[in-house]
Amino acid sequence: MIEHPLLNPTRRHFLRDCSLGLAGLWLAGQGGAHAASAAAGGVLKKDAAHPWRPETGHFPARAKRVIYLHMAGSPSQLDLFDYKPELEKLDGKDCPQSVLAGKQFAFIQGVPKMLGTQFPFKQHGQSGQWISDRLPHLAGCADELCVVRSMYTDQFNHGPAQLLMHTGSQSPGHASFGAWSTYGLGSENDNLPGFIVLTSGGKNPDAGKSVWGSGYLPSVYQGVQCRSAGEPVLFLQDPPGVDRAARRRSLDALAEINAATASTVGDPETVTRMAQYEMAFRMQLHAAEAFDLTKEPAEVHELYGTQPGKESFANNCLLARRLAERGVRFIQLFDWGWDSHGAGQSEALNHGFKGKCESVDKACAALLTDLRRRGLLEDTLVIWGGEFGRTPMRENRQGQEMAFIGRDHNPGAFTLWMAGGGVKAGTSYGATDEIGYQAAVDKVSVADFHATTLALLGFDHMKFNYPINGVPMRLSNVTKPGSKVVRGLMA
Amino acid sequence: MPAVNRKSILTLSVASLLAGAADARSAMEFNRDIRPILTSHCTSCHGGVKSAGGVSFVYREKALGKGKSGAAIIVPGKPEESEIMARVVSKDPEEVMPKPEHGPPLKPAEIERLRQWIAEGAVWSEHWSLVPPVAAAVPEVQDKTWSRVDWDAFIKARLEAGGLNPSPEAGAAEWLRRVSLDLTGLPPSLEDFQAWQKALAADPRAAREAVVDRLLASPAYGERWATVWLDLARYADTYGYEKDPHRDIWPWRDWVIRALNADMPFDQFTIKQLAGDELPDATSDDLLATAFHRNTQNNTEGGTNDEEFRAVAIVDRVNTTWTTWQATTFGCVQCHAHPYDPYPHADYYKFMSFFDSSEDADLDNDFPRFPVAAKMEDGGPLAALWKESRELRRALNDEGAAMAGKDASWQILKPLSAKASGGTLTIGDGGRVTAGGTLPVGVVHTLEAAAVPGLTALRLRIFPDKDDPLSWPERASVLSHLTLSSVAADGRREEVKIKEVIADYLAGPFDPQESLDGGPGGFGSYPAQSGGRWCVVVLEKPLAAAEGGKLEIAMKQGAVSNANQQACTLRNFTWETSTSPAWTSWLAAPERAEKWARLGEVKAAISRMPATSVPVMLERSAPAARDTRVWVRGNRLTKSDAVQPGVPERLSPPETPGRMSRLDMARWLVGGRNPLTSRVLANRLWAEMFGRGIVETLEDFGSSGALPTHPELLDFLAVRLAGAQGWSMKKHLREIALSATYAQTCRTTAEAVARDPGNALLARGPRQRLSAEMMRDHALKVSGLLSGKMGGPPVYPPQPAGVWNSVYSGESWKTSEGEDRYRRGVYTYVKRTSGYPGFLSFDAPARDLCSARRLPTNTPLQALVTLNDPAYLEMAAALAERVEKDGGTPLEQITRACRLITLGDPPAELTGALSRLYVATLEDARARQAAGGKSDTTPERAAMILVANTLLNTDLALNR
């Protein structure tokens, strides 16, 4: 935290003394919450004036921060990671009824044809991970990856499935992974939001802003969506005619006035507000600096394939590294455009998919390389994946063969990879059935994924909860008992 | 979906504070002492959703029954024989309840309460909010001088019981600012303050009443309170979802403001919005009011199933109705019986049935819409014309449909050949034609049959693809363009002129006559079909066919459903013929021609009147009513039993027999037997005035919601509101504004805050941060920029470029000019996928779904808005200009600016700090000027703008 030289003693004194005395609503509120669920364990005491103060979990953290690269729309695992020679043999044949029975699809109708992998696969690295030729750069990092091939979900539409991946529940109103993380761990940078969201691909995720919401947790823990081009945070710049010195003077006057108000009125929110204005001031400085990619050397731009000022996934990856370096706890990227139905050229497996892969392949590999060489990968958990998988059948809207090649949504199996903080590098975990339709061996549910990632951050997912209406809500979803930490993913 | 919230956790502690630890010797009270134990420890497994081991604690009869094991769960009077006791005290991990992996064991005190309650006879009571409110006598209090309205005593009695004193009365400025912002959303002017002070000196009581009456009579009142309703109604100026195009529904927003300003009683306000279309002699305003439930989102993304999103919209209507009027998390019941509250699964669908047969169906044009006259005085005539046109059209069709039933000459037409321009047609037994193959949009089926001499009419029967109603609705079938030709033996062909197409019933966006023009509309069910349909095609004159002649029927199908993805083809149909001469004579009857002529005139008259077409609720006619069924596990694709419209048994349904209409449902909500509506409204008004409800969870009065902090007061207020006050919100708010409880100062101490952080007991006055809209309106008013213009299309105040990223809609944010730039926040354009940034930062909801409560937050991003948003800078500049205009020294100017917020003499810290800021900024600006720096403003003005900007950011300015 940077103390400004002009910070006047009155305000500093006041902030120090009064924030202890008038500790804000939350502490008092938490007292009640604590009493209500003390036996269930771990409700945190948070100070409203310092909501992002760094904290520790139930046990030592293997990862201190998270960079989550969500490919919204859900890339085809069958064409990137989940190599299925059996499926290739079935290519073009009618899908057997036994496979279709009792299944619901977003678009497939009647009897679809099976669709073999569209691209050559090879094993890579010491670990021999199977990766297709769509991701050549990432394949070079195969030994860093822990590839989970047996993920499954119970949602087959984008919105609910994205909510489930990010909040543990398919319905809106629950706290997101990032919100839980910052609520639990605070932030290591007082000058930037602890949970930052960056989007690329031209659109926000289908489920909207709820996927980075704070749900029932205090709203300061919601993700702050920043823009990777232009002003990163709205209204970050001082208005014309107000320079930094003027703003500082203005905030000093404000602090003096608000301190007097706090003393006479006694509203603890006033004290919180004073702290928030100070943070806003620091954020103006630090966010602008953190988002300024022009300072990066040419070699780095070469590595990521970045162009400052452009809105791209690559730029967001580089920003993610810069934010991680600065102690931001949770950096959430969404890249839109992975919904390869074959309904249009831009998303079809035989057209736009190639470009989509190129737009993330180099940047993902660069991010891992860059984090590794800066010593950040050890305690940064990097996650890559969509919200569900895609079918081994070719999509056939209205029962008709479509002009382009694509696959429908498949909740039964998908692939997700992790790297860095505490995960077993160079591993493949779990397997799907012969055609890649259903997770079959060492299945990992979304709740298991949450339990495991929380464990890497130092939390017992069963004890890390927040009581609402008498229910101890948790990320691993209280209505889905039996979720477990997957030790096989952990180093 | 239950709206979860973080604040209810406060309630747990306060509720226990209020209830106190139950005295071991006093009798147990189920709702206070036992239900919370069951809800927090038991019902997630033994509730409405899951009743593991056959045990449920939601219904009395089940709790007092036997589980699957045969053991009696609760035996009144006999804790030792009650299985529940054995289980909660068990040390055996296999036996103990809750199971260790499900949650912590009961605390000894909780076990003791359970034991005592069973020993006392296990008296079960209905959840508090399901018992109709009864006004208790006002309690006795020690200090009888404090109360200003009778119910103040409830607050005082509670404070006395806790050994607390109320806070002193708020100062004149504090009260006036609070009551002005609470009632009108705007701060008082200095003139208001001076007048109030003068009156206060003469007669305080009369002065207070005069202020409150003036505020309630101000048009600003409706604008402020409308926001509360618009959040519940999920009002927005766009459709929502991916494309999020513009929707003209602002006349409904204006109706809300007008209704509130006119103090329309809440029962009327309710009935008009839920069922104004079903009122006898519905007026233009009654129809407009029903747009409440047309604020649901409409998905126009290509390929989205219209029926699916129609279903989402009616589910939203059910959930919104229950949250808004009943504060009940009824959404849970969509998928299963309610986990905590006594609503079985089928109740959801019975209630959904009230909304299931409306005309709207997620169509891109938002059908059906009603023309709201641009000029108020045109409203009556336009509504009359609109009604006449609908009735005339229906009468014209229904006469024909009745004729078809009487015609005994119908003969099945057996086609000689049937060909489709894309796909295949098969002629089966009984002339049944079935289609297969691709059947693209615009496909033409051409049938050939032996000509029937004397043919006067044809009947098309469309059959469903599958006979099982559980599989309905199916893909639509629409006959877009029908042409008939007579082909003579020698090959000469002649068009056979069709006069009319009569449908079995009228429903949906298309007129059956459209089958005669070239457009995509026409006869059929659209955008989805449930069961069979028929229409009669009446020829202009009987067919004069020669021997060996043929009749050719060409049927084009150009309609597309599911946002331009699915062709609405004819796949299963027959044709019949009639030679009854009655058809021709009937057509020729002058009365019929007159009706058609009149219909034309009426339509022309409607189109001449300037109007805005607003989506409204309209019920399909009885034969077109949809067959509502229970959705298994909430999935619309797996339907089971059919249900009749109805309301839950536990909530006193009307006693009158017969099928309930939507209008009956609306009347039931505000009728005397409903235990919730009056409480929910009283609580909402209370929460707006005090910053928290008597029930803190405004959205949930069920057993998972918070308990009321002052249950007797809530009931007292609810009974008065629905009774003596005749559902008048103004009368109710007037009493609150004049109460001693409300008159207390908000000034407090750390000890008092620590004792009651949420101010649940009201030992001090309320202090609330301004709402998102108030934040803007307040700054506009103080700076003198605020426009008083009311109503009309939404406006576009300044917002940063690039915020509206409308990839598909092609719409852009064109910053408003002139006074529209400075309108009240309620008129700012609400785009669902891209809300106004200044409002979102201050907790305004996105308006996707019903929002019963804005949880106030306090974040650095808010500071960035009020410090740096150019809109706020513009207001600061206006404020600087305003105070400079009246002259005087800078200190005098600063003091005048401060007074606009503090009303009374501003505190020395305020003027002192701002004066020093002024001096330092001025010196800086002068130095810069001296150094040759250029600026658009004088150093004095630049300094005063920064002072004004700072003033508008003080905690004093941001709160009320």
Side-chain angles (χ1 to χ4, degrees), chain B residues 546-598:
Chain B
E547 197 65 27
K550 286 180 184 153
L551 178 67
E552 190 188 276
I553 305 174
M555 309 156 73
K556 185 177 177 187
Q557 302 133 65
V560 198
S561 65
N562 293 356
N564 249 350
Q565 283 294 313
Q566 196 171 56
C568 303
T569 53
L570 298 162
R571 301 174 299 280
N572 189 354
F573 60 91
T574 57
W575 281 100
E576 295 161 66
T577 59
S578 168
T579 49
S580 164
W583 286 109
T584 317
S585 53
W586 173 71
L587 274 190
E591 302 84 55
R592 189 160 180 86
E594 278 163 26
K595 275 188 195 156
W596 275 115
R598 173 64 190 158

Coordinates of all heavy atoms in Angstrom, one line a residue, chain B residues 546-598:
Chain B
A546 N -66.6 -28.9 -65.8 CA -67.1 -29.8 -66.8 C -66.7 -31.2 -66.5 O -65.8 -31.5 -65.7 CB -66.6 -29.4 -68.2
E547 N -67.2 -32.1 -67.2 CA -66.9 -33.6 -67.0 C -65.4 -33.8 -67.3 O -64.9 -33.2 -68.3 CB -67.7 -34.3 -68.1 CG -67.8 -35.8 -67.8 CD -68.5 -36.2 -66.5 OE1 -69.4 -35.4 -66.1 OE2 -68.3 -37.2 -66.0
G548 N -64.7 -34.5 -66.5 CA -63.3 -34.8 -66.7 C -62.4 -33.7 -66.3 O -61.2 -33.8 -66.4
G549 N -63.0 -32.6 -65.7 CA -62.1 -31.5 -65.3 C -61.4 -31.9 -63.9 O -61.9 -32.8 -63.2
K550 N -60.4 -31.2 -63.7 CA -59.7 -31.4 -62.4 C -59.6 -30.1 -61.6 O -59.6 -29.0 -62.1 CB -58.3 -31.9 -62.7 CG -58.3 -33.4 -63.2 CD -56.9 -33.9 -63.5 CE -57.0 -35.3 -64.0 NZ -55.8 -35.6 -64.9
L551 N -59.4 -30.4 -60.3 CA -59.2 -29.2 -59.4 C -57.7 -29.3 -58.9 O -57.3 -30.4 -58.4 CB -60.1 -29.3 -58.2 CG -60.0 -28.2 -57.1 CD1 -60.4 -26.9 -57.7 CD2 -60.8 -28.6 -55.9
E552 N -57.0 -28.2 -59.0 CA -55.6 -28.2 -58.5 C -55.5 -27.3 -57.3 O -56.0 -26.2 -57.3 CB -54.7 -27.7 -59.6 CG -53.2 -27.9 -59.3 CD -52.4 -27.2 -60.3 OE1 -52.1 -27.8 -61.4 OE2 -52.0 -26.0 -60.1
I553 N -54.9 -27.9 -56.2 CA -54.8 -27.1 -55.0 C -53.3 -26.9 -54.8 O -52.6 -27.8 -54.6 CB -55.4 -27.9 -53.8 CG1 -56.8 -28.3 -54.1 CG2 -55.3 -27.1 -52.5 CD1 -57.5 -29.2 -53.0
A554 N -52.9 -25.6 -54.8 CA -51.5 -25.3 -54.5 C -51.4 -24.6 -53.2 O -52.0 -23.6 -52.9 CB -50.9 -24.4 -55.6
M555 N -50.6 -25.2 -52.3 CA -50.5 -24.8 -50.9 C -49.0 -24.4 -50.6 O -48.2 -25.2 -50.5 CB -50.9 -25.9 -50.0 CG -52.2 -26.5 -50.3 SD -52.3 -28.2 -49.7 CE -52.5 -27.9 -47.9
K556 N -48.8 -23.1 -50.5 CA -47.4 -22.6 -50.2 C -47.3 -22.4 -48.7 O -48.2 -21.9 -48.0 CB -47.2 -21.3 -50.9 CG -45.7 -20.8 -50.7 CD -45.4 -19.6 -51.5 CE -44.0 -19.1 -51.2 NZ -43.7 -17.8 -51.8
Q557 N -46.1 -22.8 -48.1 CA -45.9 -22.7 -46.7 C -44.6 -21.8 -46.5 O -43.5 -22.3 -46.5 CB -45.7 -24.1 -46.1 CG -47.0 -24.9 -46.4 CD -46.6 -26.3 -46.9 OE1 -46.0 -27.1 -46.1 NE2 -47.0 -26.6 -48.1
G558 N -44.8 -20.5 -46.2 CA -43.7 -19.6 -46.2 C -43.4 -19.2 -44.8 O -42.4 -18.4 -44.6
A559 N -44.1 -19.6 -43.8 CA -43.9 -19.1 -42.4 C -42.7 -19.8 -41.8 O -42.4 -20.9 -42.1 CB -45.1 -19.3 -41.5
V560 N -41.9 -19.0 -41.0 CA -40.7 -19.6 -40.3 C -40.8 -19.3 -38.8 O -41.1 -18.1 -38.4 CB -39.4 -19.0 -40.8 CG1 -38.3 -19.9 -40.5 CG2 -39.5 -18.8 -42.3
S561 N -40.7 -20.3 -38.0 CA -40.7 -20.0 -36.5 C -39.3 -20.1 -36.0 O -38.3 -20.2 -36.7 CB -41.6 -21.0 -35.9 OG -41.1 -22.3 -36.0
N562 N -39.2 -20.1 -34.6 CA -37.9 -20.2 -33.9 C -36.9 -19.2 -34.5 O -35.8 -19.6 -34.8 CB -37.4 -21.6 -34.0 CG -38.3 -22.6 -33.3 OD1 -39.3 -22.2 -32.6 ND2 -38.0 -23.9 -33.3
A563 N -37.3 -18.0 -34.4 CA -36.4 -16.9 -34.9 C -35.7 -17.3 -36.2 O -34.5 -17.4 -36.3 CB -35.4 -16.6 -33.8
N564 N -36.6 -17.5 -37.2 CA -36.1 -17.7 -38.5 C -35.4 -19.0 -38.8 O -34.5 -19.0 -39.7 CB -35.2 -16.5 -38.9 CG -35.8 -15.7 -40.0 OD1 -36.9 -16.1 -40.5 ND2 -35.2 -14.5 -40.3
Q565 N -35.7 -20.0 -38.1 CA -35.0 -21.3 -38.3 C -35.9 -22.4 -38.7 O -35.4 -23.3 -39.4 CB -34.3 -21.7 -37.0 CG -33.0 -20.9 -36.7 CD -31.9 -21.2 -37.7 OE1 -31.7 -22.3 -38.0 NE2 -31.3 -20.2 -38.2
Q566 N -37.1 -22.5 -38.3 CA -37.9 -23.7 -38.6 C -39.1 -23.4 -39.5 O -39.9 -22.5 -39.3 CB -38.4 -24.2 -37.2 CG -38.9 -25.6 -37.3 CD -39.2 -26.2 -36.0 OE1 -40.0 -25.6 -35.2 NE2 -38.6 -27.3 -35.6
A567 N -39.1 -24.1 -40.6 CA -40.2 -24.0 -41.6 C -41.5 -24.6 -41.0 O -41.5 -25.6 -40.3 CB -39.8 -24.8 -42.8
C568 N -42.6 -23.8 -41.2 CA -43.9 -24.2 -40.6 C -44.7 -24.9 -41.7 O -45.5 -24.3 -42.4 CB -44.6 -23.0 -40.0 SG -43.6 -22.2 -38.8
T569 N -44.4 -26.2 -41.8 CA -45.0 -26.9 -43.0 C -46.2 -27.7 -42.7 O -46.5 -28.0 -41.5 CB -43.9 -27.9 -43.5 OG1 -43.5 -28.7 -42.4 CG2 -42.7 -27.2 -44.0
L570 N -47.0 -28.0 -43.7 CA -48.1 -28.9 -43.6 C -47.7 -30.3 -43.8 O -47.2 -30.7 -44.9 CB -49.2 -28.5 -44.6 CG -49.7 -27.1 -44.4 CD1 -50.4 -26.6 -45.7 CD2 -50.7 -27.0 -43.2
R571 N -47.8 -31.2 -42.8 CA -47.2 -32.5 -42.8 C -48.2 -33.6 -42.7 O -47.9 -34.8 -42.9 CB -46.2 -32.6 -41.7 CG -45.1 -31.6 -41.7 CD -44.2 -31.6 -40.5 NE -44.9 -31.4 -39.3 CZ -45.2 -30.2 -38.8 NH1 -44.9 -29.1 -39.5 NH2 -45.8 -30.1 -37.7
N572 N -49.5 -33.3 -42.4 CA -50.4 -34.3 -42.1 C -51.8 -33.7 -42.2 O -52.2 -33.0 -41.3 CB -50.2 -34.9 -40.7 CG -51.0 -36.1 -40.4 OD1 -51.8 -36.5 -41.1 ND2 -50.7 -36.7 -39.2
F573 N -52.5 -33.9 -43.3 CA -53.8 -33.2 -43.5 C -54.7 -33.9 -44.5 O -54.3 -34.8 -45.2 CB -53.5 -31.7 -44.1 CG -52.7 -31.7 -45.4 CD1 -53.4 -31.7 -46.6 CD2 -51.3 -31.8 -45.4 CE1 -52.7 -31.7 -47.8 CE2 -50.6 -31.7 -46.6 CZ -51.3 -31.7 -47.8
T574 N -56.0 -33.4 -44.5 CA -56.9 -33.9 -45.5 C -57.7 -32.6 -46.0 O -57.7 -31.6 -45.4 CB -58.0 -34.8 -44.9 OG1 -58.7 -34.1 -43.9 CG2 -57.4 -36.1 -44.4
W575 N -58.3 -32.8 -47.2 CA -59.2 -31.8 -47.7 C -60.6 -32.4 -47.8 O -60.7 -33.6 -48.1 CB -58.8 -31.3 -49.1 CG -57.6 -30.3 -49.1 CD1 -56.3 -30.6 -49.3 CD2 -57.8 -28.9 -48.9 NE1 -55.6 -29.4 -49.3 CE2 -56.5 -28.4 -49.0 CE3 -58.8 -28.1 -48.6 CZ2 -56.2 -27.0 -48.8 CZ3 -58.6 -26.7 -48.4 CH2 -57.3 -26.2 -48.5
E576 N -61.6 -31.6 -47.6 CA -63.0 -32.0 -47.8 C -63.7 -31.0 -48.7 O -63.2 -29.9 -48.8 CB -63.7 -32.1 -46.4 CG -63.1 -33.1 -45.5 CD -63.6 -32.9 -44.0 OE1 -64.8 -32.9 -43.7 OE2 -62.7 -32.5 -43.2
T577 N -64.7 -31.5 -49.3 CA -65.4 -30.5 -50.2 C -66.9 -30.4 -49.7 O -67.5 -31.3 -49.1 CB -65.4 -31.1 -51.6 OG1 -66.1 -32.4 -51.6 CG2 -64.0 -31.2 -52.1
S578 N -67.5 -29.3 -50.1 CA -68.9 -29.0 -49.8 C -69.5 -28.5 -51.1 O -68.9 -27.7 -51.8 CB -69.0 -28.0 -48.6 OG -70.4 -27.6 -48.6
T579 N -70.8 -28.9 -51.3 CA -71.5 -28.3 -52.4 C -72.7 -27.6 -51.9 O -73.7 -27.3 -52.6 CB -71.9 -29.4 -53.4 OG1 -72.5 -30.5 -52.6 CG2 -70.7 -29.9 -54.1
S580 N -72.7 -27.3 -50.6 CA -73.9 -26.7 -50.0 C -74.0 -25.3 -50.6 O -73.1 -24.5 -50.5 CB -73.7 -26.6 -48.5 OG -74.6 -25.6 -48.0
P581 N -75.1 -24.9 -51.2 CA -75.3 -23.5 -51.7 C -75.4 -22.5 -50.7 O -75.2 -21.3 -50.9 CB -76.6 -23.6 -52.5 CG -77.3 -24.8 -52.0 CD -76.3 -25.8 -51.4
A582 N -75.6 -22.9 -49.4 CA -75.7 -22.0 -48.3 C -74.5 -21.1 -48.2 O -74.5 -19.9 -47.9 CB -75.9 -22.7 -47.0
W583 N -73.3 -21.6 -48.5 CA -72.1 -20.8 -48.4 C -72.1 -19.6 -49.3 O -71.8 -18.5 -48.9 CB -70.8 -21.7 -48.8 CG -70.5 -22.7 -47.7 CD1 -70.6 -24.1 -47.8 CD2 -69.9 -22.4 -46.5 NE1 -70.2 -24.7 -46.7 CE2 -69.7 -23.7 -45.8 CE3 -69.5 -21.3 -45.8 CZ2 -69.2 -23.8 -44.5 CZ3 -69.0 -21.4 -44.5 CH2 -68.8 -22.6 -43.9
T584 N -72.5 -19.8 -50.6 CA -72.5 -18.7 -51.5 C -73.5 -17.6 -51.1 O -73.2 -16.4 -51.2 CB -72.8 -19.3 -52.9 OG1 -72.1 -20.5 -53.1 CG2 -72.5 -18.3 -54.0
S585 N -74.7 -18.1 -50.7 CA -75.7 -17.1 -50.4 C -75.3 -16.3 -49.1 O -75.5 -15.1 -49.0 CB -77.1 -17.7 -50.2 OG -77.0 -18.8 -49.3
W586 N -74.7 -17.1 -48.2 CA -74.2 -16.5 -46.9 C -73.2 -15.4 -47.2 O -73.2 -14.3 -46.7 CB -73.6 -17.6 -46.0 CG -73.0 -17.1 -44.8 CD1 -73.6 -16.5 -43.7 CD2 -71.6 -17.1 -44.5 NE1 -72.7 -16.2 -42.7 CE2 -71.4 -16.6 -43.2 CE3 -70.5 -17.6 -45.2 CZ2 -70.2 -16.5 -42.6 CZ3 -69.2 -17.5 -44.6 CH2 -69.1 -16.9 -43.3
L587 N -72.2 -15.7 -48.1 CA -71.2 -14.7 -48.5 C -71.8 -13.5 -49.1 O -71.3 -12.4 -48.8 CB -70.3 -15.3 -49.5 CG -69.1 -16.2 -49.1 CD1 -68.2 -16.4 -50.3 CD2 -68.3 -15.5 -48.0
A588 N -72.9 -13.7 -49.8 CA -73.4 -12.5 -50.6 C -74.3 -11.7 -49.7 O -74.7 -10.6 -50.1 CB -74.2 -13.1 -51.7
A589 N -74.6 -12.2 -48.5 CA -75.6 -11.4 -47.6 C -75.0 -10.0 -47.4 O -73.8 -9.9 -47.0 CB -75.8 -12.2 -46.3
P590 N -75.8 -9.0 -47.5 CA -75.3 -7.6 -47.4 C -74.8 -7.3 -45.9 O -73.9 -6.6 -45.8 CB -76.6 -6.7 -47.7 CG -77.7 -7.6 -47.8 CD -77.3 -9.0 -48.0
E591 N -75.4 -8.0 -44.9 CA -74.9 -7.7 -43.5 C -73.5 -8.1 -43.4 O -72.7 -7.4 -42.7 CB -75.7 -8.6 -42.5 CG -77.2 -8.4 -42.5 CD -77.9 -9.2 -43.5 OE1 -77.7 -10.5 -43.5 OE2 -78.6 -8.7 -44.4
R592 N -73.1 -9.2 -44.1 CA -71.7 -9.6 -44.0 C -70.8 -8.6 -44.6 O -69.8 -8.2 -44.1 CB -71.5 -11.0 -44.6 CG -70.2 -11.6 -44.3 CD -70.1 -13.0 -44.4 NE -68.7 -13.5 -44.1 CZ -68.3 -13.8 -42.9 NH1 -69.1 -13.7 -41.9 NH2 -67.0 -14.1 -42.7
A593 N -71.2 -8.2 -45.8 CA -70.4 -7.2 -46.5 C -70.3 -5.9 -45.7 O -69.2 -5.3 -45.7 CB -71.0 -6.9 -47.9
E594 N -71.4 -5.5 -45.0 CA -71.3 -4.3 -44.2 C -70.3 -4.5 -43.1 O -69.6 -3.5 -42.8 CB -72.7 -4.0 -43.6 CG -73.6 -3.3 -44.6 CD -75.1 -3.4 -44.2 OE1 -75.4 -3.6 -43.0 OE2 -76.0 -3.4 -45.1
K595 N -70.3 -5.7 -42.5 CA -69.4 -5.9 -41.4 C -67.9 -5.8 -41.9 O -67.1 -5.2 -41.2 CB -69.6 -7.2 -40.7 CG -70.7 -7.2 -39.7 CD -70.8 -8.5 -39.0 CE -72.1 -8.6 -38.2 NZ -72.4 -10.0 -37.9
W596 N -67.7 -6.4 -43.0 CA -66.3 -6.3 -43.6 C -66.0 -4.8 -43.9 O -64.9 -4.4 -43.6 CB -66.2 -7.1 -44.9 CG -65.9 -8.6 -44.6 CD1 -66.7 -9.6 -45.0 CD2 -64.7 -9.1 -44.1 NE1 -66.1 -10.8 -44.6 CE2 -64.9 -10.6 -44.1 CE3 -63.5 -8.6 -43.6 CZ2 -63.9 -11.4 -43.6 CZ3 -62.5 -9.5 -43.1 CH2 -62.7 -10.9 -43.1
A597 N -66.9 -4.1 -44.4 CA -66.7 -2.7 -44.7 C -66.4 -1.9 -43.4 O -65.4 -1.1 -43.4 CB -67.9 -2.1 -45.4
R598 N -67.2 -2.2 -42.4 CA -67.0 -1.5 -41.1 C -65.6 -1.8 -40.6 O -64.9 -0.9 -40.0 CB -68.1 -1.9 -40.2 CG -68.0 -1.4 -38.8 CD -68.1 0.2 -38.7 NE -67.7 0.7 -37.4 CZ -67.2 1.9 -37.1 NH1 -67.1 2.8 -38.1 NH2 -66.9 2.3 -35.9

